[in-house]
Short mmCIF file of all heavy atoms in Angstrom, two decimals:
data_model
loop_
_atom_site.label_atom_id
_atom_site.label_comp_id
_atom_site.label_asym_id
_atom_site.label_seq_id
_atom_site.Cartn_x
_atom_site.Cartn_y
_atom_site.Cartn_z
N MET A 1 11.71 79.24 -19.60
CA MET A 1 11.28 79.62 -18.27
C MET A 1 11.46 78.45 -17.29
O MET A 1 11.92 78.65 -16.18
CB MET A 1 9.82 80.06 -18.33
CG MET A 1 9.30 80.57 -17.01
SD MET A 1 9.94 82.15 -16.58
CE MET A 1 8.55 83.16 -16.85
N ILE A 2 11.08 77.25 -17.73
CA ILE A 2 11.22 76.07 -16.87
C ILE A 2 12.70 75.73 -16.67
O ILE A 2 13.10 75.31 -15.59
CB ILE A 2 10.44 74.88 -17.48
CG1 ILE A 2 8.94 75.19 -17.45
CG2 ILE A 2 10.74 73.59 -16.73
CD1 ILE A 2 8.10 74.15 -18.12
N VAL A 3 13.50 75.96 -17.67
CA VAL A 3 14.93 75.68 -17.57
C VAL A 3 15.57 76.60 -16.51
O VAL A 3 16.40 76.16 -15.71
CB VAL A 3 15.61 75.86 -18.95
CG1 VAL A 3 17.11 75.72 -18.84
CG2 VAL A 3 15.05 74.88 -19.96
N VAL A 4 15.18 77.87 -16.49
CA VAL A 4 15.72 78.82 -15.51
C VAL A 4 15.29 78.42 -14.09
O VAL A 4 16.10 78.41 -13.15
CB VAL A 4 15.26 80.25 -15.84
CG1 VAL A 4 15.67 81.21 -14.74
CG2 VAL A 4 15.83 80.69 -17.17
N ALA A 5 14.03 78.05 -13.92
CA ALA A 5 13.53 77.64 -12.61
C ALA A 5 14.24 76.37 -12.14
O ALA A 5 14.61 76.27 -10.96
CB ALA A 5 12.03 77.42 -12.67
N ALA A 6 14.42 75.42 -13.01
CA ALA A 6 15.08 74.17 -12.64
C ALA A 6 16.55 74.39 -12.31
O ALA A 6 17.12 73.71 -11.45
CB ALA A 6 14.94 73.14 -13.76
N SER A 7 17.18 75.34 -12.97
CA SER A 7 18.60 75.59 -12.68
C SER A 7 18.79 76.37 -11.37
O SER A 7 19.81 76.25 -10.72
CB SER A 7 19.25 76.33 -13.85
OG SER A 7 18.68 77.62 -13.98
N LEU A 8 17.80 77.20 -10.98
CA LEU A 8 17.92 77.97 -9.75
C LEU A 8 17.48 77.19 -8.51
O LEU A 8 17.84 77.55 -7.39
CB LEU A 8 17.07 79.25 -9.86
CG LEU A 8 17.59 80.32 -10.82
CD1 LEU A 8 16.62 81.48 -10.85
CD2 LEU A 8 18.97 80.78 -10.42
N LEU A 9 16.71 76.14 -8.68
CA LEU A 9 16.17 75.39 -7.55
C LEU A 9 17.24 74.81 -6.61
O LEU A 9 17.12 74.98 -5.39
CB LEU A 9 15.23 74.29 -8.06
CG LEU A 9 14.39 73.58 -7.01
CD1 LEU A 9 13.49 74.58 -6.30
CD2 LEU A 9 13.58 72.48 -7.67
N PRO A 10 18.28 74.16 -7.09
CA PRO A 10 19.30 73.64 -6.15
C PRO A 10 20.01 74.77 -5.38
O PRO A 10 20.29 74.61 -4.19
CB PRO A 10 20.29 72.91 -7.06
CG PRO A 10 19.55 72.63 -8.30
CD PRO A 10 18.55 73.72 -8.46
N GLY A 11 20.28 75.86 -6.02
CA GLY A 11 20.94 76.98 -5.34
C GLY A 11 20.06 77.58 -4.25
O GLY A 11 20.53 77.89 -3.15
N LEU A 12 18.78 77.72 -4.53
CA LEU A 12 17.86 78.26 -3.53
C LEU A 12 17.67 77.26 -2.38
O LEU A 12 17.51 77.68 -1.22
CB LEU A 12 16.53 78.61 -4.17
CG LEU A 12 16.56 79.81 -5.11
CD1 LEU A 12 15.20 79.99 -5.78
CD2 LEU A 12 16.95 81.06 -4.37
N GLY A 13 17.69 75.99 -2.67
CA GLY A 13 17.59 74.98 -1.62
C GLY A 13 18.80 75.03 -0.68
O GLY A 13 18.66 74.96 0.54
N LEU A 14 19.99 75.19 -1.25
CA LEU A 14 21.19 75.31 -0.42
C LEU A 14 21.17 76.60 0.40
O LEU A 14 21.60 76.61 1.56
CB LEU A 14 22.44 75.26 -1.30
CG LEU A 14 22.79 73.89 -1.86
CD1 LEU A 14 23.97 73.99 -2.83
CD2 LEU A 14 23.12 72.93 -0.73
N LEU A 15 20.69 77.68 -0.19
CA LEU A 15 20.59 78.94 0.53
C LEU A 15 19.62 78.83 1.70
O LEU A 15 19.91 79.29 2.80
CB LEU A 15 20.15 80.06 -0.42
CG LEU A 15 20.03 81.45 0.19
CD1 LEU A 15 21.39 81.96 0.62
CD2 LEU A 15 19.39 82.40 -0.80
N LEU A 16 18.48 78.19 1.48
CA LEU A 16 17.50 78.00 2.54
C LEU A 16 18.07 77.14 3.67
O LEU A 16 17.92 77.46 4.85
CB LEU A 16 16.24 77.35 1.97
CG LEU A 16 15.10 77.10 2.95
CD1 LEU A 16 14.57 78.42 3.49
CD2 LEU A 16 13.99 76.33 2.28
N TYR A 17 18.76 76.07 3.32
CA TYR A 17 19.38 75.21 4.33
C TYR A 17 20.46 75.97 5.12
O TYR A 17 20.53 75.87 6.34
CB TYR A 17 19.99 73.97 3.66
CG TYR A 17 20.71 73.07 4.62
CD1 TYR A 17 20.00 72.26 5.49
CD2 TYR A 17 22.10 73.03 4.65
CE1 TYR A 17 20.67 71.44 6.39
CE2 TYR A 17 22.77 72.21 5.54
CZ TYR A 17 22.06 71.41 6.40
OH TYR A 17 22.71 70.60 7.28
N GLY A 18 21.28 76.72 4.41
CA GLY A 18 22.33 77.48 5.08
C GLY A 18 21.78 78.54 6.02
O GLY A 18 22.28 78.72 7.13
N MET A 19 20.74 79.23 5.61
CA MET A 19 20.16 80.26 6.46
C MET A 19 19.49 79.64 7.69
O MET A 19 19.51 80.22 8.77
CB MET A 19 19.15 81.10 5.68
CG MET A 19 19.79 81.97 4.62
SD MET A 19 21.03 83.08 5.27
CE MET A 19 20.04 84.16 6.25
N ASP A 20 18.93 78.46 7.55
CA ASP A 20 18.34 77.77 8.70
C ASP A 20 19.41 77.40 9.71
O ASP A 20 19.23 77.57 10.92
CB ASP A 20 17.61 76.52 8.22
CG ASP A 20 16.90 75.81 9.36
OD1 ASP A 20 16.15 76.48 10.10
OD2 ASP A 20 17.11 74.58 9.51
N ARG A 21 20.56 76.92 9.24
CA ARG A 21 21.66 76.57 10.13
C ARG A 21 22.21 77.81 10.84
O ARG A 21 22.50 77.78 12.03
CB ARG A 21 22.78 75.88 9.35
CG ARG A 21 22.38 74.58 8.72
CD ARG A 21 22.16 73.52 9.73
NE ARG A 21 23.43 73.25 10.38
CZ ARG A 21 23.68 72.21 11.14
NH1 ARG A 21 22.73 71.34 11.36
NH2 ARG A 21 24.84 72.04 11.69
N VAL A 22 22.35 78.92 10.12
CA VAL A 22 22.86 80.16 10.72
C VAL A 22 21.87 80.68 11.76
O VAL A 22 22.27 81.13 12.84
CB VAL A 22 23.13 81.21 9.62
CG1 VAL A 22 23.38 82.59 10.22
CG2 VAL A 22 24.32 80.78 8.77
N GLU A 23 20.59 80.61 11.47
CA GLU A 23 19.58 81.07 12.43
C GLU A 23 19.62 80.24 13.71
O GLU A 23 19.55 80.79 14.81
CB GLU A 23 18.20 80.97 11.78
CG GLU A 23 17.08 81.46 12.66
CD GLU A 23 15.75 81.31 11.97
OE1 GLU A 23 15.63 81.77 10.82
OE2 GLU A 23 14.84 80.74 12.59
N ASP A 24 19.74 78.93 13.60
CA ASP A 24 19.84 78.08 14.79
C ASP A 24 21.12 78.39 15.57
O ASP A 24 21.12 78.40 16.80
CB ASP A 24 19.83 76.61 14.41
CG ASP A 24 18.47 76.15 13.93
OD1 ASP A 24 17.47 76.85 14.22
OD2 ASP A 24 18.40 75.10 13.25
N TRP A 25 22.21 78.65 14.87
CA TRP A 25 23.48 78.96 15.51
C TRP A 25 23.40 80.27 16.28
O TRP A 25 23.90 80.37 17.40
CB TRP A 25 24.58 79.01 14.45
CG TRP A 25 25.91 79.45 14.95
CD1 TRP A 25 26.71 78.81 15.84
CD2 TRP A 25 26.58 80.64 14.58
NE1 TRP A 25 27.85 79.53 16.04
CE2 TRP A 25 27.81 80.66 15.28
CE3 TRP A 25 26.29 81.69 13.72
CZ2 TRP A 25 28.71 81.69 15.14
CZ3 TRP A 25 27.21 82.70 13.59
CH2 TRP A 25 28.39 82.70 14.29
N LEU A 26 22.73 81.26 15.71
CA LEU A 26 22.60 82.56 16.39
C LEU A 26 21.63 82.50 17.55
O LEU A 26 21.79 83.20 18.54
CB LEU A 26 22.15 83.62 15.39
CG LEU A 26 23.18 84.06 14.36
CD1 LEU A 26 22.55 85.01 13.37
CD2 LEU A 26 24.38 84.69 15.03
N ARG A 27 20.61 81.69 17.46
CA ARG A 27 19.59 81.60 18.50
C ARG A 27 20.11 80.90 19.75
O ARG A 27 19.71 81.21 20.86
CB ARG A 27 18.37 80.87 17.97
CG ARG A 27 17.20 80.91 18.95
CD ARG A 27 15.99 80.20 18.43
NE ARG A 27 15.61 80.69 17.12
CZ ARG A 27 14.92 79.99 16.24
NH1 ARG A 27 14.54 78.78 16.53
NH2 ARG A 27 14.61 80.50 15.08
N ASN A 28 21.01 79.93 19.59
CA ASN A 28 21.50 79.16 20.74
C ASN A 28 22.36 80.00 21.67
O ASN A 28 22.38 79.77 22.86
CB ASN A 28 22.29 77.95 20.26
CG ASN A 28 21.38 76.88 19.73
OD1 ASN A 28 20.20 76.86 20.03
ND2 ASN A 28 21.93 76.00 18.94
N GLY A 29 23.08 80.96 21.18
CA GLY A 29 23.92 81.80 22.03
C GLY A 29 25.18 81.07 22.45
O GLY A 29 25.44 79.94 22.06
N PRO A 30 25.97 81.71 23.30
CA PRO A 30 27.23 81.09 23.72
C PRO A 30 26.99 79.94 24.69
O PRO A 30 26.08 79.96 25.51
CB PRO A 30 27.97 82.23 24.41
CG PRO A 30 26.91 83.15 24.88
CD PRO A 30 25.80 83.04 23.87
N SER A 31 27.81 78.92 24.58
CA SER A 31 27.72 77.80 25.51
C SER A 31 28.62 78.08 26.71
O SER A 31 29.45 78.98 26.69
CB SER A 31 28.15 76.51 24.82
OG SER A 31 29.51 76.61 24.43
N THR A 32 28.45 77.29 27.75
CA THR A 32 29.26 77.49 28.94
C THR A 32 30.68 77.00 28.67
O THR A 32 30.91 76.13 27.84
CB THR A 32 28.69 76.71 30.14
OG1 THR A 32 28.60 75.34 29.79
CG2 THR A 32 27.32 77.23 30.51
N ALA A 33 31.62 77.56 29.37
CA ALA A 33 33.02 77.19 29.19
C ALA A 33 33.25 75.76 29.68
O ALA A 33 32.52 75.25 30.52
CB ALA A 33 33.90 78.16 29.96
N ARG A 34 34.29 75.12 29.15
CA ARG A 34 34.56 73.74 29.52
C ARG A 34 34.86 73.59 30.99
O ARG A 34 34.48 72.61 31.61
CB ARG A 34 35.76 73.23 28.70
CG ARG A 34 35.32 72.38 27.55
CD ARG A 34 36.51 71.79 26.86
NE ARG A 34 36.88 72.72 25.80
CZ ARG A 34 38.09 72.89 25.33
NH1 ARG A 34 39.07 72.18 25.80
NH2 ARG A 34 38.32 73.74 24.38
N HIS A 35 35.56 74.55 31.57
CA HIS A 35 35.93 74.42 32.98
C HIS A 35 34.75 74.71 33.91
O HIS A 35 34.83 74.42 35.09
CB HIS A 35 37.09 75.36 33.31
CG HIS A 35 36.74 76.81 33.19
ND1 HIS A 35 36.80 77.47 31.98
CD2 HIS A 35 36.32 77.71 34.09
CE1 HIS A 35 36.43 78.72 32.16
NE2 HIS A 35 36.14 78.90 33.44
N ALA A 36 33.66 75.27 33.40
CA ALA A 36 32.51 75.61 34.24
C ALA A 36 31.40 74.57 34.17
O ALA A 36 30.44 74.66 34.90
CB ALA A 36 31.95 76.97 33.83
N ARG A 37 31.52 73.59 33.31
CA ARG A 37 30.47 72.59 33.16
C ARG A 37 30.50 71.58 34.30
O ARG A 37 31.56 71.20 34.78
CB ARG A 37 30.62 71.84 31.85
CG ARG A 37 30.31 72.68 30.66
CD ARG A 37 30.40 71.87 29.38
NE ARG A 37 30.39 72.80 28.26
CZ ARG A 37 31.05 72.62 27.15
NH1 ARG A 37 31.79 71.55 26.99
NH2 ARG A 37 30.99 73.50 26.19
N GLY A 38 29.35 71.15 34.73
CA GLY A 38 29.25 70.07 35.69
C GLY A 38 29.48 70.49 37.13
O GLY A 38 29.44 69.65 38.01
N ARG A 39 29.71 71.73 37.39
CA ARG A 39 29.91 72.16 38.76
C ARG A 39 28.63 72.74 39.30
O ARG A 39 27.91 73.44 38.62
CB ARG A 39 31.01 73.21 38.85
CG ARG A 39 32.37 72.65 38.54
CD ARG A 39 33.41 73.67 38.80
NE ARG A 39 34.72 73.09 38.53
CZ ARG A 39 35.84 73.66 38.84
NH1 ARG A 39 35.84 74.84 39.40
NH2 ARG A 39 36.97 73.08 38.58
N HIS A 40 28.37 72.47 40.55
CA HIS A 40 27.18 72.98 41.20
C HIS A 40 27.59 73.67 42.49
O HIS A 40 28.56 73.28 43.14
CB HIS A 40 26.19 71.86 41.50
CG HIS A 40 25.72 71.15 40.28
ND1 HIS A 40 24.78 71.69 39.44
CD2 HIS A 40 26.06 69.97 39.73
CE1 HIS A 40 24.58 70.87 38.44
NE2 HIS A 40 25.34 69.81 38.59
N LEU A 41 26.85 74.66 42.86
CA LEU A 41 27.12 75.39 44.08
C LEU A 41 26.75 74.53 45.28
O LEU A 41 25.64 74.02 45.38
CB LEU A 41 26.31 76.69 44.09
CG LEU A 41 26.54 77.63 45.25
CD1 LEU A 41 27.97 78.15 45.21
CD2 LEU A 41 25.58 78.79 45.17
N ARG A 42 27.67 74.35 46.17
CA ARG A 42 27.42 73.56 47.37
C ARG A 42 27.35 74.53 48.56
O ARG A 42 28.29 75.26 48.83
CB ARG A 42 28.52 72.55 47.59
CG ARG A 42 28.66 71.58 46.45
CD ARG A 42 29.73 70.55 46.78
NE ARG A 42 30.28 69.90 45.63
CZ ARG A 42 29.68 68.93 44.96
NH1 ARG A 42 28.51 68.53 45.32
NH2 ARG A 42 30.26 68.37 43.93
N LEU A 43 26.23 74.48 49.26
CA LEU A 43 26.04 75.36 50.40
C LEU A 43 26.36 74.60 51.68
O LEU A 43 25.90 73.49 51.90
CB LEU A 43 24.60 75.87 50.44
CG LEU A 43 24.16 76.66 49.21
CD1 LEU A 43 22.70 77.03 49.34
CD2 LEU A 43 25.00 77.90 49.06
N VAL A 44 27.14 75.21 52.54
CA VAL A 44 27.51 74.62 53.81
C VAL A 44 26.63 75.24 54.87
O VAL A 44 26.68 76.44 55.11
CB VAL A 44 29.00 74.86 54.12
CG1 VAL A 44 29.37 74.26 55.46
CG2 VAL A 44 29.86 74.28 53.01
N HIS A 45 25.81 74.42 55.53
CA HIS A 45 24.87 74.94 56.52
C HIS A 45 25.44 74.98 57.93
O HIS A 45 24.92 75.65 58.78
CB HIS A 45 23.58 74.10 56.51
CG HIS A 45 22.82 74.25 55.25
ND1 HIS A 45 22.13 75.38 54.93
CD2 HIS A 45 22.64 73.40 54.22
CE1 HIS A 45 21.56 75.23 53.75
NE2 HIS A 45 21.86 74.04 53.30
N GLY A 46 26.44 74.26 58.20
CA GLY A 46 27.02 74.26 59.54
C GLY A 46 28.01 73.14 59.68
O GLY A 46 28.36 72.45 58.73
N THR A 47 28.46 72.91 60.91
CA THR A 47 29.45 71.88 61.16
C THR A 47 28.83 70.66 61.83
O THR A 47 29.53 69.86 62.41
CB THR A 47 30.58 72.43 62.04
OG1 THR A 47 30.00 72.92 63.26
CG2 THR A 47 31.31 73.55 61.33
N GLY A 48 27.54 70.53 61.83
CA GLY A 48 26.89 69.36 62.39
C GLY A 48 26.38 69.59 63.80
O GLY A 48 25.82 68.69 64.40
N ARG A 49 26.59 70.76 64.35
CA ARG A 49 26.08 71.05 65.70
C ARG A 49 24.59 71.37 65.62
O ARG A 49 24.12 71.89 64.62
CB ARG A 49 26.83 72.25 66.29
CG ARG A 49 28.28 71.89 66.60
CD ARG A 49 28.97 73.07 67.21
NE ARG A 49 29.30 73.98 66.11
CZ ARG A 49 29.63 75.24 66.25
NH1 ARG A 49 29.68 75.78 67.44
NH2 ARG A 49 29.92 75.99 65.22
N PRO A 50 23.83 71.08 66.67
CA PRO A 50 22.40 71.38 66.64
C PRO A 50 22.16 72.89 66.59
O PRO A 50 22.91 73.67 67.17
CB PRO A 50 21.86 70.77 67.93
CG PRO A 50 23.04 70.55 68.80
CD PRO A 50 24.24 70.42 67.91
N GLN A 51 21.13 73.27 65.92
CA GLN A 51 20.79 74.68 65.73
C GLN A 51 19.76 75.11 66.77
O GLN A 51 18.85 74.35 67.10
CB GLN A 51 20.23 74.91 64.33
CG GLN A 51 21.20 74.55 63.23
CD GLN A 51 22.16 75.68 62.94
OE1 GLN A 51 21.78 76.84 63.02
NE2 GLN A 51 23.39 75.35 62.62
N GLY A 52 19.88 76.34 67.24
CA GLY A 52 18.90 76.89 68.16
C GLY A 52 17.71 77.46 67.40
O GLY A 52 17.65 77.40 66.17
N PRO A 53 16.72 78.05 68.11
CA PRO A 53 15.54 78.57 67.42
C PRO A 53 15.83 79.76 66.51
O PRO A 53 15.11 80.00 65.57
CB PRO A 53 14.61 78.97 68.57
CG PRO A 53 15.48 79.11 69.76
CD PRO A 53 16.65 78.20 69.55
N ALA A 54 16.91 80.51 66.76
CA ALA A 54 17.22 81.68 65.94
C ALA A 54 18.14 81.32 64.79
O ALA A 54 18.60 82.19 64.07
CB ALA A 54 17.86 82.77 66.80
N GLY A 55 18.42 80.03 64.62
CA GLY A 55 19.28 79.62 63.52
C GLY A 55 20.75 79.62 63.90
O GLY A 55 21.60 79.36 63.07
N ARG A 56 21.08 79.92 65.14
CA ARG A 56 22.46 79.91 65.60
C ARG A 56 22.69 78.70 66.49
O ARG A 56 21.76 78.18 67.11
CB ARG A 56 22.77 81.18 66.38
CG ARG A 56 22.70 82.42 65.50
CD ARG A 56 22.93 83.62 66.34
NE ARG A 56 21.82 83.70 67.30
CZ ARG A 56 21.49 84.77 67.96
NH1 ARG A 56 22.19 85.86 67.85
NH2 ARG A 56 20.46 84.80 68.80
N ALA A 57 23.93 78.28 66.59
CA ALA A 57 24.25 77.18 67.48
C ALA A 57 24.10 77.64 68.92
O ALA A 57 24.45 78.77 69.25
CB ALA A 57 25.67 76.71 67.21
N PRO A 58 23.53 76.80 69.79
CA PRO A 58 23.36 77.20 71.19
C PRO A 58 24.72 77.38 71.88
O PRO A 58 25.67 76.64 71.61
CB PRO A 58 22.56 76.07 71.81
CG PRO A 58 22.76 74.90 70.90
CD PRO A 58 23.03 75.46 69.54
N GLN A 59 24.80 78.36 72.75
CA GLN A 59 26.04 78.63 73.46
C GLN A 59 25.91 78.08 74.87
O GLN A 59 24.93 78.32 75.57
CB GLN A 59 26.30 80.14 73.51
CG GLN A 59 26.50 80.72 72.14
CD GLN A 59 26.69 82.23 72.22
OE1 GLN A 59 26.59 82.82 73.27
NE2 GLN A 59 26.95 82.83 71.07
N HIS A 60 26.93 77.34 75.29
CA HIS A 60 26.94 76.75 76.63
C HIS A 60 28.06 77.43 77.42
O HIS A 60 29.20 77.48 76.98
CB HIS A 60 27.19 75.24 76.56
CG HIS A 60 26.13 74.53 75.79
ND1 HIS A 60 24.88 74.28 76.30
CD2 HIS A 60 26.11 74.02 74.53
CE1 HIS A 60 24.15 73.65 75.41
NE2 HIS A 60 24.86 73.49 74.31
N PHE A 61 27.73 77.92 78.58
CA PHE A 61 28.71 78.58 79.42
C PHE A 61 28.94 77.72 80.66
O PHE A 61 27.99 77.25 81.28
CB PHE A 61 28.22 79.95 79.85
CG PHE A 61 28.08 80.91 78.71
CD1 PHE A 61 27.76 80.54 77.45
CD2 PHE A 61 28.25 82.25 78.88
CE1 PHE A 61 27.63 81.44 76.41
CE2 PHE A 61 28.10 83.14 77.84
CZ PHE A 61 27.79 82.74 76.61
N ASP A 62 30.18 77.54 80.99
CA ASP A 62 30.52 76.83 82.23
C ASP A 62 30.65 77.83 83.35
O ASP A 62 31.37 78.80 83.23
CB ASP A 62 31.85 76.05 82.06
CG ASP A 62 31.70 74.92 81.06
OD1 ASP A 62 30.58 74.38 80.96
OD2 ASP A 62 32.71 74.59 80.40
N ALA A 63 29.94 77.60 84.45
CA ALA A 63 30.01 78.51 85.60
C ALA A 63 31.08 77.98 86.55
O ALA A 63 30.80 77.42 87.59
CB ALA A 63 28.66 78.60 86.29
N ALA A 64 32.32 78.15 86.18
CA ALA A 64 33.40 77.61 87.00
C ALA A 64 33.98 78.64 87.92
O ALA A 64 33.96 79.77 87.86
CB ALA A 64 34.50 77.06 86.13
#
């Protein structure tokens, strides 16, 4: 009985280790693509002109 248990122990240890690795691999999910890493969305708020109270640039009319 002890001989059977001792002979099965290394195999069960490898099975446990392998299943732990597979579980971690499945839990992580897909990684981002190489070309998509490190990029951030840059928002452009305007061209540097002062903003009016409604969020629009003030309009100046020349009365010529």
Side-chain angles (χ1 to χ4, degrees):
M1 184 72 107
I2 294 175
V3 174
V4 173
S7 65
L8 289 178
L9 190 60
L12 290 175
L14 287 174
L15 181 66
L16 181 64
Y17 177 75
M19 291 303 293
D20 184 51
R21 298 290 295 194
V22 168
E23 182 181 309
D24 289 341
W25 174 65
L26 289 175
R27 188 179 306 155
N28 285 340
S31 63
T32 57
R34 259 185 268 151
H35 65 276
R37 290 183 193 145
R39 292 187 178 190
H40 299 283
L41 184 64
R42 300 183 201 282
L43 300 176
V44 179
H45 293 288
T47 58
R49 291 181 282 164
Q51 299 277 325
R56 295 177 295 198
Q59 297 177 355
H60 299 284
F61 294 31
D62 293 330

